[in-house]
Amino acid sequence: MDQVESVRTPASWVVVGLDNGGTCNNATVLDATGRYLVDSLVENPSLVTDGPESAIEQLAGAFHNILELTRTPLTLVRAVGLDTPGPASAQGVISSKGATNFSMVSWHGFDIRSALEARIGLPVFYLNDANAAALYAHHQLFGAEAMTKSSVAAIVGTGLGGGVVEDGKVVSGAAGMAGELGHVQIPLHGVLEVGQPVPECNCGFTGDVESIASLTGIKKNLLPYWLTRFPDHPLAAEPLPQAAKQLRSYAEKEDPLALAVFGQQAKAIGKLFTIAANFTDPDAYLLGGGVVEASPKFRQWFLNTVRESTELRAEQQAAATFALVADLDMAGARGAAVAALEAVQPS
């Protein structure tokens, strides 16, 4: 278990946030005054590939370790927030067809929220990981005004996750699958080149946001096309999976092929945000993922391109903010903690 440089003891009752990933769990503690008691990652192996029993034990271990690290008595913990990759129901039941990181048959239809609740003996509240990151980004941006504001967040990674927040709360939907922004199909005019094949998503859709704005979209759709336009590029000699992962480093050096690929991603997200503007008219459009971890010049260029590709009315332009998701590696656990705090805090 990793240790952190700075820890605090709680000033009041607390909630714990647990972010479950493919390789690691990350844990945090949030007290009722709004203070996070750790300032960096606190991780342990998630062991999700070993099946539900091992994974639940690791989550329980992460929970007890973060309490010990922050010198928090168990009696002060009112609830736990848990996030995992989706798809899963709003109650934390993994999809019957499995999900990202949960491909073993024993995970199909598994109620991870209830299993953890039974193991630790405390109420557990569930979000998918992109919704949790979106919730944290919303509260980090708006602070004391968060409960009166709205936002839409796109989180670009292996796929494209996201979240819709209204009045400070995640919109989860009837089946818990609201905010699956990656699978919104977008108009491709102005995004693709003439003659460029329509991108295909692993979900079976064509022309959705994830088919373009994701690492998978780069590998499967964008890079194969652009390498035909730049046949002498150094990445042409690399296997596609490796080439896709190296592309951002080329973009940071203003490589024309890389900028063409990321320009299409930014335009696709702009199309998504244009649709969001007409559905929810949010106060903020938030962008997270690998682009946030890039060089400042590149990430600002990417955010600017997204903004320029989002068609807003004059009134919306005056009211809306575009921003990057802060503290991305901790955003999931912190967002899960915020959800738990909202669930148990007296109104």
Side-chain angles (χ1 to χ4, degrees):
M1 186 80 72
D2 293 345
Q3 300 300 300
V4 291
E5 295 176 0
S6 175
V7 298
R8 307 175 180 88
T9 52
S12 61
W13 60 267
V14 305
V15 295
V16 171
L18 297 175
D19 171 46
N20 171 257
T23 56
C24 290
N25 300 315
N26 179 35
T28 194
V29 180
L30 175 64
D31 73 18
T33 70
R35 293 189 316 153
Y36 294 98
L37 304 190
V38 293
D39 291 330
S40 59
L41 287 172
V42 182
E43 297 182 307
N44 74 330
S46 63
L47 301 187
V48 292
T49 56
D50 291 353
E53 185 175 345
S54 296
I56 293 299
E57 283 304 308
Q58 289 299 104
L59 282 167
F63 169 75
H64 289 292
N65 177 77
I66 200 68
L67 296 186
E68 181 179 349
L69 187 64
T70 56
R71 300 180 291 276
T72 302
L74 180 61
T75 52
L76 290 184
V77 183
R78 291 200 178 176
V80 173
L82 170 68
D83 78 69
T84 76
S89 75
Q91 289 73 42
V93 178
I94 305 300
S95 168
S96 60
K97 294 183 178 180
T100 306
N101 302 332
F102 303 117
S103 58
M104 293 175 62
V105 173
S106 56
W107 279 115
H108 295 189
F110 183 78
D111 188 343
I112 191 170
R113 185 203 65 79
S114 293
L116 181 61
E117 189 170 81
R119 173 64 179 79
I120 63 176
L122 285 164
V124 175
F125 298 92
Y126 177 83
L127 288 175
N128 75 43
D129 55 356
N131 279 184
L135 183 62
Y136 172 67
H138 178 92
H139 281 260
Q140 193 71 1
L141 178 65
F142 290 117
E145 296 184 323
M147 302 308 290
T148 65
K149 299 290 186 179
S150 60
S151 64
V152 172
I155 313 295
V156 188
T158 303
L160 187 135
V164 178
V165 178
E166 188 69 36
D167 292 332
K169 296 183 181 294
V170 169
V171 177
S172 60
M177 296 180 183
E180 288 288 346
L181 303 183
H183 304 299
V184 173
Q185 291 170 297
I186 57 172
L188 299 177
H189 177 73
V191 177
L192 301 184
E193 297 284 295
V194 175
Q196 185 173 357
V198 174
E200 297 179 352
C201 183
N202 286 346
C203 75
F205 284 175
T206 57
D208 64 10
V209 188
E210 184 173 302
S211 70
I212 300 170
S214 67
L215 181 62
T216 303
I218 290 176
K219 178 176 62 177
K220 183 176 181 179
N221 300 309
L222 303 189
L223 192 53
Y225 169 76
W226 282 103
L227 285 173
T228 67
R229 303 287 298 271
F230 292 84
D232 298 326
H233 196 279
L235 290 179
E238 299 284 343
L240 273 173
Q242 283 72 32
K245 291 179 180 179
Q246 294 175 38
L247 194 65
R248 193 180 71 198
S249 65
Y250 280 87
E252 290 174 332
K253 300 170 188 172
E254 300 185 5
D255 175 80
L257 178 150
L259 291 182
V261 170
F262 284 107
Q264 289 191 317
Q265 290 200 328
K267 291 174 184 176
I269 295 170
K271 295 285 188 182
L272 170 69
F273 283 168
T274 300
I275 293 171
N278 289 290
F279 267 94
T280 70
D281 189 24
D283 293 286
Y285 301 87
L286 304 172
L287 181 64
V291 65
V292 175
E293 299 162 2
S295 67
K297 183 178 180 181
F298 170 73
R299 68 187 182 214
Q300 191 60 53
W301 169 82
F302 193 90
L303 182 64
N304 289 345
T305 306
V306 169
R307 182 190 292 113
E308 292 161 5
S309 304
T310 304
E311 298 178 36
L312 301 179
R313 296 175 177 83
E315 297 87 346
Q316 292 173 314
Q317 289 177 348
T321 298
F322 285 75
L324 297 171
V325 176
D327 305 318
L328 193 66
D329 54 357
M330 296 184 288
R334 288 186 167 190
V338 169
L341 185 67
E342 289 178 348
V344 299
Q345 198 161 36
S347 56

